[in-house]
Amino acid sequence: VLNDMIKKSLLIGSALLLLAVLAAPDAQALSPIRFGVKAGIQTQSLKMQGMNWNELSKSNNFGYQLGVMAQVPLGPVYLQPEIFYSSARFKLQGDLLNPDGTMAESDVSAKYSVNTVQLPVLVGIKLLFLRVFAGPSFNLLTDTSNKSGKEGVSFNSSVTKSAVAFQVGAGVEIGKFNIDIRYDGQFKKPVQTFTFGKNYTETVKTKMNSWQLNLGYFF
């Protein structure tokens, strides 16, 4: 099911990417549109509002992103729509409390990942080989996966509200290669439902921000 959703999201994102390119004013008359691929790593932070964990610790493992991009020159600026798959990973550990404050489970740990298909639409400015950019990023699909580190404790999570993000960053471009560093932040906090065991369920607001280091190549 997840593979089918990813395929559908990639098709939708590719269509939106093409529309963004074709909708650019006089794009064909300015200079050739460039297409490319990108890959990178990221480190992310996770905040949860309302989670009943006692002294919850969150260690952030490195995530990654893979995708494609197009660059449309528009005079002094450029438009750069992208579509990429991103995977952010965390480890949660702490004591789980009951609603009345009593101990439910001690030393509960879980590995937790957030997998997203994103469509950023960036506007940038080039200064020689330097460039700066910013723009909104739309989540086409978000899926969560997890694995409990303790036998007998299940950990399930499902996103019930999609998030709209923004990206801002800077980089260098040398020939067909480019390297950039960008910050990805959320405008809205998605609501997630976590289930521990069979009977304990919590709905919380989450916020995830990330720093990304990307390497790209234009054909």
Side-chain angles (χ1 to χ4, degrees), residues 116-183:
T116 309
V117 177
Q118 289 184 272
L119 176 69
V121 181
L122 307 172
V123 176
I125 301 176
K126 288 185 180 181
L127 301 172
L128 298 178
F129 60 90
L130 300 176
R131 60 191 180 94
V132 293
F133 54 86
S137 180
F138 306 97
N139 290 358
L140 305 180
L141 165 70
T142 298
D143 172 72
T144 58
S145 60
N146 56 80
K147 182 178 180 181
S148 175
K150 184 177 179 180
E151 186 178 354
V153 178
S154 65
F155 178 84
N156 301 304
S157 170
S158 60
V159 176
T160 58
K161 184 178 180 181
S162 62
V164 178
F166 65 89
Q167 294 191 355
V168 58
V172 296
E173 197 165 298
I174 303 174
K176 294 183 177 181
F177 291 93
N178 69 86
I179 300 174
D180 67 56
I181 297 177
R182 63 181 70 179
Y183 177 78

Side-chain angles (χ1 to χ4, degrees), residues 183-196:
Y183 177 78
D184 184 287
Q186 292 180 335
F187 288 115
K188 297 181 180 181
K189 298 178 181 179
V191 177
Q192 297 193 41
T193 299
F194 293 84
T195 302
F196 303 87

